[in-house]
Amino acid sequence: MTSTVLPASGRVLMICTGNICRSPYAEHSLRALLDVGDAVTSAGTHGLRGWPADEGAEEIARARGFSCASHAARQVTAQLVADASLVLGMSADHRSFCTNLVPEAAGRIFTLHELAELVRLGAARGSALEDVLASAHEAREGLPREVRVRKVADPFGQTLSAFERMADDIDAQLEVLAPVLR
């Protein structure tokens, strides 16, 4: 597979529900993995505006060499979705929410698991991010339903081990995606 480059003006937008656990962890993990600074952002479908990242997410992030301490939760908007080169939801509900906000962006909106699986299968290919996403969008209907609806479990209100499982899941998918975003 050919490696692509995240366009200089492009942004990856991570989406979860409250924007305090999964999406901020994913945002900061991908930032650290790619060393791209604010080209990766996050928001929530029901964002708890202004809240910091959950302590569990921050503790796991610090243990893995980065931080979510600067995070302030926000609500996803149509403008954020429209401006993103790629939107990655932590669940099918997040993908649907963003697609409903900006239907014409459907080809750039995936779940984290969905896009990672398409990359694993070699169905997301190309030398530019737009090509990778176009081929992934075409191939997504061929994925088994259980892959299309697989989600990153929400650790909100749970023990630190739930945050570790969340982080392991997110990081495994990001490792697959990183080569097509470099």
Side-chain angles (χ1 to χ4, degrees), residues 12-44:
V12 176
L13 178 63
M14 300 293 192
I15 303 292
C16 71
T17 304
N19 192 219
I20 61 170
C21 298
R22 294 173 287 180
S23 60
Y25 178 87
E27 169 192 350
H28 291 278
S29 182
L30 188 57
R31 281 182 179 193
L33 190 61
L34 298 179
D35 192 25
V36 291
D38 65 0
V40 182
T41 62
S42 66

Side-chain angles (χ1 to χ4, degrees), residues 49-130:
R49 292 182 182 107
W51 286 34
D54 188 282
E55 291 175 8
E58 174 60 14
E59 186 171 336
I60 298 300
R62 276 195 324 266
R64 294 178 185 210
F66 59 94
S67 175
C68 303
S70 64
H71 179 75
R74 63 184 177 162
Q75 174 76 32
V76 66
T77 64
Q79 191 65 57
L80 287 172
V81 172
D83 289 346
S85 299
L86 170 61
V87 178
L88 291 171
M90 299 298 120
S91 75
D93 289 341
H94 303 135
R95 179 189 59 219
S96 295
F97 187 95
C98 292
T99 301
N100 288 336
L101 277 177
V102 186
E104 60 274 16
R108 297 181 279 119
I109 304 170
F110 296 85
T111 70
L112 182 63
H113 279 279
E114 181 180 50
L115 187 56
E117 186 62 18
L118 289 164
V119 169
R120 278 186 199 93
L121 294 171
R125 57 193 175 281
S127 58
L129 182 61
E130 294 80 14

